[in-house]
Amino acid sequence: MSDPSFSFLDALAPSRWPTLVVVGARFIGLMLTAPLWSMPEMPRSLRGAMVVLFTLAVLPTTSNAKLAPDYAGLPGLLGTELLLGVGIGLTGAVLMAGVALAGEVASLQMGLNLGPSLANMPESPVAGVGELKSMLAMAIYVTLGGHLMLLTGVARSLQEIPPGAALDVVSGGRTVAALVGTLFTTAVRVAAPIMVALLLTNLGIAILGRAVPQINSMVVAFPITIGLGFIALGASLPFMGRVMGEWVTSIPRLVSSIVSAFAPLGR
């Protein structure tokens, strides 16, 4: 435990610089994967400044890093700290990736992905349903304070796993892999209403094409699938919002499971 009388100036003493570097590595891992903090539109200099700011904010309440006198194991230690930060950030990134994947699947079933191929402009970017869903997910994530939950998770992890402690990388890696595996289940939950509606629509068009061979099924299917797809998208927004909200509110529990998995053996 840290000394309550420990001041901010004491945290900046040269003896605390190794701890500053180790704690900063954990925040850097978070910045590499966490939604909002890892946005490509955010300048690297700004992200670097935020890493320094967050590190200095938690440094007074963080114990000294346990390092060898010659700092021989510092590179490996920084790597494990970076991995822990990445794992914490993935608890939010999996949601965004799942929502984007659900949108791409919906776009594919609606036929929107065929636009560039049919318009003789294959290199032109097309904003599909995936981008719309991603913006909705980001709005819910920020509104519910998911980005702040992840920062709080890193700060609390410093109390449960002091900087410089030997992490259980095997158990932590398995937990992170299991978390990434939930990406597909998240995508299916978000895209399920649209997928079912379009599946039934395509089945009906296929039956109609067999019953009336003179009808060009592809030409008929485009307006129907696109129209019904957007209707199903609008009708499923409350369901999507509930699924996304449940995920965001579960971020503290997911972060706690990640940190517990990385906790040193015999702690």
Side-chain angles (χ1 to χ4, degrees), residues 23 27-29 35 38 41 63 89 93 96 100 111 117 130 175-177 179 186 188 197 203 205 215 229 244:
V23 175
F27 277 105
I28 289 175
S38 61
E41 294 80 7
S63 58
M96 299 301 169
S117 301
T175 304
V176 171
L179 175 65
T186 303
V188 170
L203 181 61
I205 294 174
I215 295 179
M244 297 173 192

Side-chain angles (χ1 to χ4, degrees), residues 8 11-12 20 23 27 50-61:
F8 181 76
L12 296 179
L20 176 68
V23 175
F27 277 105
M50 288 191 298
V51 167
V52 174
L53 178 62
F54 298 150
T55 303
L56 292 178
V58 301
L59 200 59
T61 59

Side-chain angles (χ1 to χ4, degrees), residues 2 148 161 261:
S2 59
L148 301 179
I161 305 179

Side-chain angles (χ1 to χ4, degrees), residues 160-263:
E160 186 171 348
I161 305 179
L167 303 182
D168 188 353
V169 179
V170 176
S171 176
R174 290 174 180 172
T175 304
V176 171
L179 175 65
V180 174
T182 62
L183 183 150
F184 300 100
T185 58
T186 303
V188 170
R189 290 183 63 190
V190 173
I194 301 178
M195 292 174 62
V196 172
L198 293 179
L199 177 62
L200 295 177
T201 301
N202 289 325
L203 181 61
I205 294 174
I207 295 175
L208 179 63
R210 294 286 294 180
V212 187
Q214 294 81 5
I215 295 179
N216 190 329
S217 300
M218 184 175 181
V219 174
V220 173
F222 265 118
I224 295 178
T225 56
I226 293 176
L228 289 180
F230 279 114
I231 293 174
L233 174 64
S236 64
L237 286 180
F239 170 77
M240 289 170 47
R242 184 171 69 253
V243 171
M244 297 173 192
E246 291 175 355
W247 183 282
V248 173
T249 54
S250 68
I251 284 179
R253 177 180 56 81
L254 296 174
V255 171
S256 178
S257 65
I258 293 290
V259 174
S260 298
F262 276 99

Side-chain angles (χ1 to χ4, degrees), residues 84-176:
L84 177 56
V86 168
I88 294 175
L90 283 176
T91 58
V94 167
L95 169 65
M96 299 301 169
V99 171
L101 179 59
E104 292 302 320
V105 172
S107 297
L108 180 62
Q109 287 194 306
M110 293 168 63
L112 296 178
N113 287 13
L114 294 176
S117 301
L118 301 177
N120 296 325
M121 298 177 60
E123 297 182 0
S124 61
V126 177
V129 178
E131 186 172 349
L132 296 176
K133 287 192 173 184
S134 296
M135 290 189 292
L136 174 62
M138 181 63 72
I140 296 175
Y141 168 79
V142 174
T143 301
L144 297 179
H147 58 305
L148 301 179
M149 294 178 187
L150 294 180
L151 289 177
T152 304
V154 175
R156 291 179 177 175
S157 71
L158 293 169
Q159 305 301 321
E160 186 171 348
I161 305 179
L167 303 182
D168 188 353
V169 179
V170 176
S171 176
R174 290 174 180 172
T175 304
V176 171

